[in-house]
Every structure is written in C-alpha cells, then in structure tokens.
Amino acid sequence: MPDKQVIYHKTQKGTEAIANRQSGLPPRLRSLLIMVDGKRTHAELATMASALGDPGRLSELEAEGLVAPAGVEEKTTPAALESAGVPQQPAATASTQRAANLAQAQRFSSHLLEHLLGPLAEPLCIKIESARDLADFVALIKRAREVVREIKGSAEAERFVAQIEAQMPEG
C-alpha cells in the first residue's frame, strides 16, 4: 500500500502525454494526470481520482511511467531516449512554456468546473478553454467563481479558486 503522504510529479513521459492529446489516455486518466502537480500527496490525488469516478488510477499512471514519487529520479537520459527512437526536441522557449502552462490551467479549471456544476458549466468551460492569454483566463475564472458562489455557496467558490491557484506555476 503506498504511503498516503508521498507527493507525486509528472515524469517527462507524463508531460509529453499531456502535451499530445492523441496519447491514447482515457479522458479520466488524462484528467488525473493533469492534476498531478508535484505538490499534491497520494491521498489528495486518490480523493480527486475518486471524484472523477476512478479510484486507484494513480497506480496505473505510476505503472505506465507517467508519474513518479517526488525524489525519484527518472531513469531516462537523452541518450536512452534517442536509442529508443524518441526524437529529441530543443528546449521550449519561455513563451512556449507559459502557453503550455496556461493550457494546462485552462483544462484543469474546466474539468474542476464541470465536476462542480455539471452540464451548467459547459458554456463557461468553453470560454475558459478558449482564453487567449492570462488576463482573459483570470477574468473568466473570476466569473466562474461568481457562478460557483451563486450555485454552491461562498465556501465552495473559494475552494474552487484555491485549487486553481495551486495548479498555477510559480514565477
């Protein structure tokens, strides 16, 4: 049985699976992978997996090499990847990384909003996922907070925003 306080992070393979929508991951497993942020414990991720209707899927992500406990070094080196036939790409630029982080935050926010509000969230989720920049995204999250507050109450609205803030990259 895994230690419930272990913190998980995405491996390089996991990061690539998120970037590549055609990775073959089932939607719920992909959603769980998106939630792995290097800050959440096994217990927190297991709770989220249960909310998605798939308890126990974290071990599946780990078995596939998409996530690993913090402190566990990946055993794939650039040379090992190249010999396995994985093409090496140049390092991402800062703007490319920001765009990827925004896209990940958009998907996470959309999934969270759908979980909270169900079908009522769809129009707002579409807007969140099509936000062109961080300013648009923040404005839409503020609107989403108001909608959650109206439907679920202030406490749930603040939890919603706190979960999104926890996903946002530092710096």
Side-chain angles (χ1 to χ4, degrees), residues 13-36:
K13 183 178 177 183
T15 302
E16 290 170 5
I18 293 299
N20 178 5
R21 285 192 158 281
Q22 288 76 37
S23 63
L25 284 176
R28 289 182 178 170
L29 194 58
R30 187 174 193 286
S31 295
L32 181 59
L33 180 58
I34 288 169
M35 292 179 207
V36 175

Side-chain angles (χ1 to χ4, degrees), residues 24-170:
L25 284 176
R28 289 182 178 170
L29 194 58
R30 187 174 193 286
S31 295
L32 181 59
L33 180 58
I34 288 169
M35 292 179 207
V36 175
D37 64 356
K39 298 176 186 174
R40 292 193 173 99
T41 64
H42 181 278
E44 291 170 317
L45 292 166
T47 299
M48 292 174 149
S50 293
L52 291 171
D54 285 328
R57 301 292 302 261
L58 186 60
S59 59
E60 190 175 330
L61 290 174
E62 188 174 7
E64 291 184 28
L66 300 170
V67 300
V72 175
E73 296 297 319
E74 290 186 57
K75 295 185 173 42
T76 54
T77 62
L81 289 172
E82 209 166 295
S83 68
V86 177
Q88 297 301 299
Q89 303 203 358
T93 64
S95 65
T96 303
Q97 186 62 41
R98 278 192 300 274
N101 291 340
L102 177 59
Q104 184 176 357
Q106 287 169 305
R107 286 189 299 273
F108 174 80
S109 302
S110 181
H111 287 292
L112 185 57
L113 197 56
E114 286 175 341
H115 174 70
L116 287 170
L117 305 178
L120 293 174
E122 188 174 344
L124 193 50
C125 289
I126 291 169
K127 289 178 183 178
I128 288 171
E129 289 190 13
S130 63
R132 295 178 186 256
D133 57 31
L134 186 59
D136 287 345
F137 174 72
V138 169
L140 288 163
I141 292 303
K142 286 179 181 178
R143 174 66 187 127
R145 178 180 54 197
E146 294 307 312
V147 172
V148 172
R149 181 176 286 135
E150 291 170 12
I151 296 172
K152 295 284 188 170
S154 294
E156 195 64 38
E158 296 314 310
R159 266 194 298 276
F160 167 73
V161 171
Q163 287 179 310
I164 294 169
E165 287 174 348
Q167 277 292 306
M168 296 303 290
E170 294 178 22

